[in-house]
Amino acid sequence: MKKNRIPLILVAVFIGLLLVSNWQTGQALKREKERNQDISRQLKKQEVTIANAKESSVTDSKSSSTAEKSLTTNNTKDISSNLAAFLQNLYASKNKNLQERYKKISPFLTGDAVKQLKPSSADNSDSQDDGYTPTTIRDIETFNSGDSKNQEAVTFYKMENKVGDTTKEVNMVMRTKLVKSGQEWLISKIEYNTGYEPRGSN
């Protein structure tokens, strides 16, 4: 009987060890499954975060591009408007007095442009441009480039002078440098302002 008990005990011990081993294996597999599920959830969250970041980046890029285009458009409108007003006040004024005419254009000027166009101190309030003839300015078109503080512009326009019964039309081109002062674009220098012959006019 004792000899029979020993194998039975060994079988019972073996079965017990096998059950314990299976339980431990099951627990390990359960923990591994839970770990894999956690990793899967983290990866999904990361994918969502990356997708949101990409969408935000595209949106920011579009917004930035739109803002830049809007700024460029506004600059072009402001510069074109200011240069057109400057030309009208420079030429179309009916006042022959140099000082009075300068007062009309001075709000558009700064820096070297002031030195270029301001009448000399020798010109008193009675000084006049005897050869001055009222001029009509039309077909003003400006092209500009630069950044948010400094711009260069080329302006094409037609100038008509009437002498007696004869009207003379001249094609003009003006190149200017401008700087941003507050909310306004001011002419800082006039590179040239002269007549030209359009291509194909001959």
Side-chain angles (χ1 to χ4, degrees), residues 2 7 27 49 53 74-75 85 113 119 122 132 140 142 149 154 163 176 181 192 195:
K2 289 182 178 180
Q27 291 297 314
T49 301
N74 289 338
N75 285 342
Y132 174 74
I140 303 172
T142 293
K149 294 182 179 180
V154 176
V163 179
T176 54
S181 177
Y192 54 78

Side-chain angles (χ1 to χ4, degrees), residues 76-140:
T76 298
K77 287 181 179 179
D78 292 342
I79 290 171
S80 297
S81 176
N82 281 11
L83 289 174
F86 165 73
L87 288 172
Q88 293 293 349
N89 282 281
L90 177 65
Y91 290 115
S93 173
K94 294 181 180 180
N95 196 322
K96 292 185 178 182
N97 186 287
L98 298 180
Q99 295 287 354
E100 292 301 317
R101 283 163 59 189
Y102 175 74
K103 288 180 182 180
K104 295 288 187 180
I105 61 173
S106 61
F108 302 96
L109 308 176
T110 189
D112 290 340
V114 173
K115 299 175 185 178
Q116 289 176 299
L117 296 178
K118 186 176 183 179
S120 66
S121 57
D123 295 326
N124 56 39
S125 58
D126 294 328
S127 65
Q128 293 184 350
D129 178 2
D130 293 333
Y132 174 74
T133 303
T135 302
T136 299
I137 302 298
R138 62 182 179 84
D139 297 345
I140 303 172

Side-chain angles (χ1 to χ4, degrees), residues 24-41:
Q24 289 177 339
T25 301
Q27 291 297 314
L29 290 173
K30 183 179 180 181
R31 287 194 296 270
E32 185 66 20
K33 183 179 180 181
E34 291 175 349
R35 181 170 172 274
N36 289 336
Q37 288 176 341
D38 288 340
I39 292 174
S40 179
R41 282 194 292 268

